Amino acid sequence: MTYEFRAIEARWQRYWDEHRTFAAEVDPERPKYYVLDMFPYPSGDGLHVGHPEGYTATDIVARYKRMRGYNVLHPMGWDAFGLPAERYAMKEGVHPAKRTAECIVNFKRQLKTLGFSYDWEREIDTTDPRYFKWTQWIFLQIYDSWYDAEAGRARPIAELPIPPEVTAAGDAAVRAYRDARRLAYLHDAPVNWCPELRIVLANEEVAEHVEQGYTVVRRAMRQWMMRITAYAERLIADLDGLDWPTSVLEMQRNWIGRSEGAEVDFQLAEGAGFEGKLTVFTTRPDTLFGATYMVLAPEHPLVAAITAPERRDAVDAYVARAATRSERDRQAEAAEGNKTGEFTGAFAVNPVNQQRIPIWISDYVLMGYGTGAIMAVPGHDERDHAFATAFGLPIVEVVSGADKPIAEAAHVGDGVAVNSGPLDGLTTPEAKRKMIAWLEEHGLGTRRVTYKLRDWLFSRQRYWGEPFPLVHGEDGVVFPVPDAELPVTLPTIDDYQPSESGEPPLAKAEAWRRYEGAAGRGLREVNTMPQWAGSCWYYLRFMDPTNDAAPFSKRAADYWLPVDLYIGGAEHAVLHLLYSRFWHKVLFDLGHVGTREPFQKLVNQGMVLGATYHPLDARKDEHGKPLTFLPKFVEQVAGADGWRVKGTGEPVRVQWDKMSKSRGNVVNPDDVVQQYGADTMRLYEMFMGPLEHSAPWQTDGVAGCFRFLQRVHRLAFESGEMAPGEGTDRQRRLLHKTIAAVSERIDRLAFNTAISAMMVYVRDIAQADEPLPRDSLEQFVLLLSPFAPHLAEEIWRSLGHVRSLAYEPWPAADDAWLTEDTFPLVVQIGGKRRAELQVAVGISEADVVKLVMSSSELARYLEGKTPRRVVYVPGKLVNVVL
């Protein structure tokens, strides 16, 4: 009987749709399990075979958990706002909504052909007004909140205490006081401007765009920001309870960058042209006696005020140059030891020894970290040492223990304080504590914790994004659109290009921009939200996707949260996860969700690699890039010759890279499904190797998985009359060992070895003298079903069952059949392996010797000799020494 996989898979996909097999509802009587994929951006290229790896893993878990008795929520949707659709619209003159809808149709078709058990009734699309209405609503919750540091949580802005002197100053002062403390606020700041795309990038997005060849420069613009820094401590502390990869936890901690130390005040010396002080943050207050100069970020507001007249031109020129460079470029240059800067002509007074020290500016100091000013201790900081060496500034040792002379290299580790007055002889931790206490006692500094994390730049100069539900009133006051007027939808426009000055495309929609309503009159905000906005909270909408009265009900949130298993790419290890956690914590503070964290367990699947082909002589193309032959132009040659170019026979080497259209190494899942079927593709996706590891896509492996499923099909449909029950003792033992192995390995997400166990079962279950046992086949089909659900359903139906197996109880291993009665005993005679005997577990050494010596099969190796001795290694081997 032929394995007609196309007909089988189409039949069961229709069945699941028609019977709503995977629909999930809140059911307090059953334990829940929420398993989630990082939902895709639906691009025009469709899926390649790398995308379904994580989706297959979550589907296996979802099917397994249903059979374990869990009420499983397993949804899918589309992260569809963003620049790619907008750029396509600019190029082809097609509205982004039309292009997005076309891409979604194709992506959904591809996913459905793979038989994933999604509850498609919960499908969401971030560009759907019914969805982004609630994105805008959540934004307003954040906008209308402030962070109460004393209580350690967000509170409604209406509860913000207003100082009496502010109240006395009038409504405008009160409004300004509130606006300055909102969790979403307007801010004039240097931003990362991409002139080619005419958009502002968040700091976290710069590296990706630079790698793609775009220019990023710094310029001042008025932007919407999110006060994520208020949550820095909680974002670090709450990582401790999460079951996430260690690498991701470390990336999150490093990105937030918690540092303990002190803020220290340096008075400006006479003649600086400005009276006051400079405040710096340092993690090493014990090194204050080694501070020989100060450095300000070029953007620091005091630069213009303190710069001496004779230094004005040089300083202004340096500030202008720094403004054109991204923070990423500045940090990279600093890391390479390249230091540039200018002396302002001003001096400050070191508070611990009253020495006058010069104040410089340099772009290795960033305004967004700490106070935008540093005390430079070149003896004990590598960047300061490089700067001091470049400009001939003093280097003083104040911590002993250096391997090299302090003039040659900075000593950045701990040690014992020297040349530090009252600190001399103290270890670094002791010196830190004493110095901080001294600073606080004398009113010169304060113990502080600071973070590398910056507030989140939240506005974009794009069309295809969520409009802000905000209006700039005629009096300049910003006010929110009333909830009853949400969603604020996008107008139809013809030109999606921002202006060269950075004014967003929505500024051209004059009629849409003019607002007049119950809340007042004015002009709508014309920036749009970043793509991150829709993906920050989509896991919440999946819980209650058709709710028109709220983003989700309390009943749904209380039941489904947190997400039990979240699988996606490591490329989202920082940004998406950090932003989602931030939004979730605000919603938690305001009482909308009951968990502190959204995702309890996180797994990053590895990358599926595609083959690219290069000439052996490493030639380059006309653009200077390594020459690559597309897969369709090469062929594999039998033997040792490997790969050659078709026609010419030129030998080429294979290189495994990330799949991408530009490399020509993309494999379309439609082609695989057409040739081998969805079950085969699912099986191979999991069989390539451990889920977290990258692995090459190889057609031979796909064919091998197909052959395995053919064997399963033959076993079920061509084995003749089946035996009742679970069969012989050997068959029962094999079955229960397979049940135990597959169950334990799914629990560990070790899908490749679970598949191996099933392959062994199929190989060994049926022998000539042992007909296939019916009960064993039924239980094996249930084990197979999460991996190859279509074929499993087909076999299950053939066994007389009228309902889907999706909710059948998962097989249970009987411990009595997990232990062996016998074991293979290796027999060595004269140092050579001569036989392998199946003997009883627990056999005595005397019985082993008797068995070997009486064996007619082994007699010829003994040659009639009496053994000098017999060495028995219990449970393993016996060695007869002649």
Side-chain angles (χ1 to χ4, degrees), residues 680 684 687-688 697-707 759:
T680 295
Y684 179 64
F687 193 56
M688 285 189 290
W697 180 272
Q698 302 190 70
T699 305
D700 288 349
V702 182
C705 287
F706 181 65
R707 288 191 295 272
M759 288 179 170

Side-chain angles (χ1 to χ4, degrees), residues 554-621:
K554 185 177 187 303
R555 180 170 179 262
D558 288 347
Y559 181 71
W560 290 116
L561 286 176
V563 174
D564 297 281
L565 175 63
Y566 195 25
I567 295 184
E571 65 272 18
H572 300 300
V574 173
L575 304 187
H576 161 63
L577 293 172
L578 192 67
Y579 295 156
S580 291
R581 295 178 64 221
F582 166 53
W583 275 39
H584 191 93
K585 289 182 182 301
V586 176
L587 293 173
F588 172 79
D589 290 351
L590 299 178
H592 300 297
V593 297
T595 63
R596 295 180 180 275
E597 288 286 331
F599 314 117
Q600 181 56 38
K601 181 178 178 65
L602 172 73
V603 174
N604 297 134
Q605 82 271 14
M607 193 178 297
V608 176
L609 306 175
T612 56
Y613 304 89
H614 304 271
L616 299 182
D617 57 9
R619 275 172 284 152
K620 296 183 178 180
D621 62 18

Side-chain angles (χ1 to χ4, degrees), residues 341-583:
E342 290 290 342
F343 175 43
T344 65
F347 291 81
V349 178
N350 188 325
V352 297
N353 57 19
Q354 303 304 304
Q355 290 186 1
R356 282 165 53 95
I357 57 177
I359 303 173
W360 288 67
I361 63 169
S362 177
D363 59 6
Y364 82 89
V365 177
L366 303 176
M367 192 63 214
Y369 178 62
T371 64
I374 67 165
M375 64 175 209
V377 184
H380 304 284
D381 182 277
E382 291 175 349
R383 297 184 309 164
D384 297 345
H385 192 280
F387 191 91
T389 301
F391 292 100
L393 296 167
I395 300 174
V396 176
E397 181 180 30
V398 292
V399 181
S400 65
D403 295 330
K404 296 181 179 179
I406 209 71
E408 296 180 13
H411 170 46
V412 298
D414 288 359
V416 175
V418 295
N419 302 318
S420 298
L423 303 182
D424 284 354
L426 297 179
T427 63
T428 295
E430 294 170 333
K432 283 182 180 180
R433 288 192 291 271
K434 185 169 183 177
M435 178 54 73
I436 291 173
W438 185 89
L439 290 168
E440 290 185 325
E441 180 184 350
H442 291 82
L444 297 171
T446 309
R447 186 185 309 274
R448 282 283 182 267
V449 175
T450 191
Y451 306 88
K452 286 195 298 185
L453 181 67
R454 325 285 177 78
D455 278 347
W456 177 12
L457 195 154
F458 194 71
S459 48
R460 299 291 185 273
Q461 293 63 52
R462 298 173 180 167
Y463 169 77
W464 195 233
E466 299 92 340
F468 282 91
L470 297 171
V471 177
H472 297 262
E474 294 177 335
D475 56 358
V477 175
V478 176
F479 60 87
V481 169
D483 288 355
E485 296 180 18
L486 299 179
V488 177
T489 57
L490 289 165
T492 300
I493 63 175
D494 297 323
D495 183 4
Y496 305 107
Q497 186 81 307
S499 68
E500 291 185 7
S501 65
E503 193 169 48
L506 288 180
K508 303 166 189 174
E510 296 181 2
W512 172 87
R513 191 178 184 186
R514 289 191 295 273
Y515 174 85
E516 183 171 355
R521 299 174 59 183
L523 296 176
R524 294 185 188 275
E525 173 63 56
V526 293
N527 285 291
T528 52
M529 298 185 200
Q531 187 175 352
W532 304 111
S535 64
C536 271
W537 74 284
Y538 74 106
Y539 63 95
L540 296 171
R541 187 61 175 174
F542 275 139
M543 300 185 307
D544 197 5
T546 60
N547 193 330
D548 292 328
F552 49 87
S553 69
K554 185 177 187 303
R555 180 170 179 262
D558 288 347
Y559 181 71
W560 290 116
L561 286 176
V563 174
D564 297 281
L565 175 63
Y566 195 25
I567 295 184
E571 65 272 18
H572 300 300
V574 173
L575 304 187
H576 161 63
L577 293 172
L578 192 67
Y579 295 156
S580 291
R581 295 178 64 221
F582 166 53
W583 275 39

